[in-house]
Amino acid sequence: MNDLGSVGNGYIPAEERASVKSSLMDVKFRSGLRIFQDHCGFIDGEIHTFIGTKGSGKSTWSKTILSEILYEGKSALLYISEEAKSKYLSSLNNDFLLAGKKEEELKGLMENLLVLSEIDAGYDNEAKTLSLIKEVIEHANIDLFIFDNFTTSFMAELNINTQSAILRSFKNLAKICNIPVILFFHTGKMYDTKRLDGDNVRGSGTAVNIGSYNYLIAQHNDGTKLRNFVYTEKARYHSLANKRMYEMEYNPKFGVFTGCKLSSMKEFQDLMGGKTTKREV
């Protein structure tokens, strides 16, 4: 006989409803950026995906998120697939020093960041790697996990069915550990930047299907200024943030985004098409 223990009716008691609402609306991860403020910061137990072309600012987004998390006194686990740990962290440490942190303050902040580097460790077995990630999160009581990025990891070289199973494992990881899991992906080779199509992700389409919050990132260079945009293609539990376009303010001194203002899809598409429009207020 099948196990029917997980089957229940549609009624949710008032106390449980209040608990669910609190988990979605109470701000645990505070941000100075409107794009995250609009959906109450990163949400525990949910997948957040960032998708963009090569060189579209994914590493900048990763460092921006890490900076905000560490400044708030939270802990993070970062998995990097493209860089050696020493090179990545040297840049991040220097950015904090440029922001005015003293060496002792820097040490205190960075002790809350744990890093796994695929290049340094030579990870090549998905089951062992996923088990290690879960073990570190639980042992160190990690608040947030970032994978930068899946497309350049050995996992993206596996067959599509295996990739999908791995991505579902990350979904389960977010739920079991009750933390936000942030995954970065490259777009497909035939990606049309003007359309910002989240379905055109390189590899398994599960990448976008499992995300509760999906962000499509893009850059435009008119020859004089590089402009950064992000479109919240999906914000499952926060209608205010859903289908919204934002333009980011990049601080070259610190190497992170330090500002964010509401834009529009029309403004973005006109810009990418060579047109100019007045900014919407």
Side-chain angles (χ1 to χ4, degrees):
M1 181 177 179
N2 292 330
D3 182 8
L4 300 179
S6 61
V7 179
N9 62 43
Y11 176 69
I12 301 293
E15 184 177 345
E16 186 175 348
R17 296 198 303 271
S19 176
V20 171
K21 181 178 179 180
S22 175
S23 72
L24 294 172
M25 298 304 172
D26 291 351
V27 181
K28 179 179 177 181
F29 297 91
R30 299 189 181 278
S31 174
L33 302 175
R34 180 169 179 177
I35 180 175
F36 300 136
Q37 293 171 353
D38 282 351
H39 61 66
C40 303
F42 294 112
I43 306 300
D44 282 337
E46 301 296 338
I47 295 285
H48 303 68
T49 67
F50 284 78
I51 305 166
T53 59
K54 182 173 63 176
S56 59
K58 288 183 290 297
S59 292
T60 301
W61 274 104
S62 177
K63 290 179 179 179
T64 297
I65 294 167
L66 284 173
S67 297
E68 290 203 320
I69 292 298
L70 297 177
Y71 272 125
E72 283 290 315
K74 305 290 187 183
S75 61
L77 172 62
L78 171 68
Y79 184 103
I80 49 177
S81 60
E82 294 181 83
E83 296 183 64
K85 183 164 62 175
S86 60
K87 292 180 179 177
Y88 185 99
L89 289 178
S90 178
S91 172
L92 188 60
N93 276 250
N94 288 333
D95 289 341
F96 274 110
L97 291 173
L98 288 171
K101 293 297 179 184
K102 304 299 183 183
E103 197 68 33
E104 277 304 306
E105 291 179 296
L106 172 66
K107 184 174 183 293
L109 285 172
M110 298 307 289
E111 284 178 345
N112 285 329
L113 173 63
L114 300 181
V115 182
L116 299 173
S117 168
E118 188 173 299
I119 289 179
D120 289 341
Y123 302 128
D124 60 2
N125 182 288
E126 65 274 19
K128 290 181 179 179
T129 303
L130 288 166
S131 177
L132 173 62
I133 291 170
K134 182 174 182 291
E135 182 180 353
V136 173
I137 289 172
E138 292 178 334
H139 179 75
N141 197 25
I142 293 296
D143 293 311
L144 178 143
F145 172 63
I146 297 177
F147 193 134
D148 182 15
N149 73 61
F150 186 88
T151 311
T152 54
S153 167
F154 77 90
M155 298 181 191
E157 299 173 358
L158 304 172
N159 67 63
I160 293 296
N161 289 339
T162 303
Q163 287 184 45
S164 298
I166 292 171
L167 292 168
R168 286 194 297 273
S169 294
F170 280 119
K171 181 78 169 179
N172 291 334
L173 179 73
K175 179 181 178 181
I176 292 170
C177 297
N178 195 34
I179 64 171
V181 168
I182 301 173
L183 308 175
F184 286 83
F185 299 91
H186 284 174
T187 57
K189 291 183 178 180
M190 300 303 291
Y191 186 71
D192 181 359
T193 306
K194 293 191 290 296
R195 292 185 58 222
L196 287 180
D197 181 7
D199 289 330
N200 194 355
V201 65
R202 192 175 303 178
S204 171
T206 303
V208 292
N209 295 329
I210 63 168
S212 295
Y213 299 84
N214 295 344
Y215 314 93
L216 309 182
I217 60 178
Q219 291 182 329
H220 175 74
N221 192 339
D222 63 5
T224 60
K225 182 180 180 181
L226 184 63
R227 297 173 65 177
N228 293 272
F229 293 86
V230 56
Y231 179 62
T232 307
E233 184 186 47
K234 180 167 65 173
R236 177 167 287 158
Y237 303 110
H238 295 82
S239 58
L240 176 64
N242 201 40
K243 309 299 182 189
R244 274 195 159 184
M245 177 71 76
Y246 304 83
E247 182 171 0
M248 308 306 299
E249 179 183 333
Y250 176 71
N251 188 315
K253 180 180 180 180
F254 306 142
V256 297
F257 296 119
T258 53
C260 177
K261 52 192 174 186
L262 193 62
S263 182
S264 70
M265 181 62 77
K266 182 180 187 306
E267 179 181 8
F268 171 77
Q269 291 176 334
D270 285 347
L271 182 68
M272 298 301 289
K275 300 179 182 178
T276 57
T277 60
K278 293 183 179 181
R279 174 170 296 282
E280 296 183 7
V281 178

